[in-house]
Amino acid sequence: MKLLAAAAILFVSQAPPQPAKAIIEGTVFRGGSTETIEGARVILARVPATPLAATISPVSTDGQGRFQIKDLDAGSYRLTVAANGFARQDYGTKLPSVQGTPINVAAGQPLRDIVVRLFPTGNVTGRINDENARPAVGVTVVLMRAIYNANGQRTFQSAGQTRTNDRGEYRLFWVTPGRYYLNAGPGVGFVGLRLSGAGDSQNGFQESYASTFYPGTPDVRAATTIEVQPGLELSGIDLRITRQQLYKIRGRVIDSATGERPAAVSLSLASRGIAETGGIVQTTTQSYNASDGTFEIKDLMPGTYGITAQTADSMQLGLPRTDGPPRPAASAAVTVSDADENNVVLTLM
């Protein structure tokens, strides 16, 4: 027993000391004032993020706007603060929605007096009417921010969306201050793949409306931006939109190797969307009729679409196969104008 006890003491004495933990403390203020914000959510994340990194629980500011995050390992962290009615803010930047500067802490370092200032958000309200000056009900209203990629090309990013009520009224709240484009119609994404309607009532029915930008144009290049100010409500942003007939694309799929219809096909559709933003929607296999090799895609607004067909076993979870040669596939560009498009042939190669 004495030998075992001595060995245990020796083992404990030889265990390496654990590194001291760091601590980050700070205060959250209302921008442009000395007023502190109680109940703000403070989020800390390791930079760069790794799957093995321990999750750090968010903390909230106290009655004096103070926060404290303890037991931190040495490293780099990104600190983000959010509060209802304020624009989310990263530490190390003065602009909302802009990534801040990482905080570097050493082992055992107490990093105090971190200051983050949050600025109030704004609101946008208005009314959407149809071509007969009646309320357009259930219409998707979207605020979009223009951004530029590495090649200098302009794209658009949704900054919030809502739907009109039975009076055609909408209200977008807690909007980060800045300049935006406002769109009403099917919503961001695919033209014609999302209908508007009185979905909140069993007594309503769906309507389809043409995509319209403020102050009343279908082309984002002719649209006027609106400016959301901190802590203010921008009202009277009204639009008149028109109903839009929806169309179909019909066709058939042929296997080039056999000249016959394939047993199972997966169809996908791509479109530029309302603001030149692209994407892909995977349609259901019900769009394809295996008995005669035909397909039908419904509820499409005028525009140019890319249709792709692949044998159904060539896609799993939306990803291409990697365990063998590519399966047969076919693609075609189809423009829908003022009528259904029929007789589209997709030949699997």
Side-chain angles (χ1 to χ4, degrees):
M1 292 295 295
K2 290 182 179 181
L3 290 175
L4 290 175
I9 294 173
L10 180 62
F11 175 78
V12 172
S13 64
Q14 291 178 346
Q18 295 296 317
K21 298 295 185 178
I23 184 172
I24 295 177
E25 297 179 351
T27 308
V28 179
F29 292 93
R30 182 187 179 97
S33 72
T34 59
E35 177 187 348
T36 59
I37 300 177
E38 179 182 2
R41 183 65 57 88
V42 183
I43 304 165
L44 197 70
R46 287 294 298 261
V47 179
T50 60
L52 299 179
T55 301
I56 303 171
S57 298
V59 300
S60 297
T61 55
D62 60 19
Q64 287 73 47
R66 300 282 301 175
F67 66 89
Q68 182 185 80
I69 306 176
K70 302 185 293 184
D71 300 326
L72 297 174
D73 295 325
S76 295
Y77 297 87
R78 178 162 284 111
L79 187 143
T80 304
V81 182
N84 290 340
F86 293 86
R88 183 180 291 250
Q89 185 83 27
D90 271 11
Y91 173 76
T93 178
K94 296 181 180 180
L95 298 175
S97 306
V98 175
Q99 199 170 74
T101 303
I103 300 173
N104 298 312
V105 295
Q109 178 185 7
L111 188 58
R112 311 184 192 280
D113 300 325
I114 294 292
V115 172
V116 179
R117 299 186 181 276
L118 300 185
F119 288 87
T121 53
N123 306 315
V124 181
T125 63
R127 185 189 300 271
I128 310 296
N129 289 330
D130 63 18
E131 64 270 30
N132 299 314
R134 297 182 184 135
V137 182
V139 173
T140 301
V141 182
V142 187
L143 274 182
M144 295 185 299
R145 179 189 299 111
I147 59 176
Y148 294 85
N149 60 24
N151 297 323
Q153 295 173 321
R154 185 175 68 164
T155 59
F156 295 88
Q157 183 181 70
S158 173
Q161 70 177 45
T162 187
R163 294 176 62 199
T164 57
N165 60 18
D166 61 310
R167 299 177 179 177
E169 301 166 339
Y170 72 89
R171 187 171 188 268
L172 291 151
F173 60 91
W174 295 350
V175 178
T176 300
R179 288 186 175 273
Y180 298 94
Y181 294 90
L182 184 134
N183 176 273
V188 172
F190 291 90
V191 179
L193 294 183
R194 203 179 301 172
L195 299 180
S196 302
D200 297 329
S201 171
Q202 63 180 359
N203 298 312
F205 63 92
Q206 289 185 322
E207 296 271 17
S208 57
Y209 293 95
S211 172
T212 306
F213 290 90
Y214 180 81
T217 174
D219 190 347
V220 67
R221 293 169 294 186
T224 300
T225 59
I226 61 175
E227 185 168 2
V228 179
Q229 300 282 354
L232 299 180
E233 181 155 316
L234 184 61
S235 59
I237 307 300
D238 303 336
L239 270 179
R240 178 167 292 189
I241 61 179
T242 58
R243 287 177 176 82
Q244 174 66 63
Q245 182 176 345
L246 301 180
Y247 301 102
K248 302 175 183 178
I249 297 178
R250 301 186 183 95
R252 58 197 178 100
V253 183
I254 299 174
D255 188 334
S256 63
T258 64
E260 302 293 334
R261 62 183 182 275
V265 167
S266 176
L267 292 168
S268 61
L269 190 73
S271 168
R272 282 189 176 275
I274 64 174
E276 303 171 0
T277 53
I280 294 178
V281 166
Q282 189 72 30
T283 65
T284 65
T285 53
Q286 296 174 353
S287 300
Y288 177 70
N289 186 345
S291 64
D292 58 8
T294 61
F295 67 87
E296 177 182 86
I297 303 175
K298 301 183 293 184
D299 298 334
L300 298 176
M301 286 190 178
T304 299
Y305 299 88
I307 304 176
T308 300
Q310 285 184 301
T311 51
D313 59 354
S314 66
M315 301 186 73
Q316 296 182 2
L317 302 177
L319 300 176
R321 289 180 77 241
T322 58
D323 58 346
R327 296 292 185 176
S331 297
V334 180
T335 298
V336 177
S337 53
D338 56 359
D340 293 341
E341 288 295 323
N342 301 304
N343 304 317
V344 176
V345 178
L346 298 174
T347 303
L348 300 176
M349 304 295 292

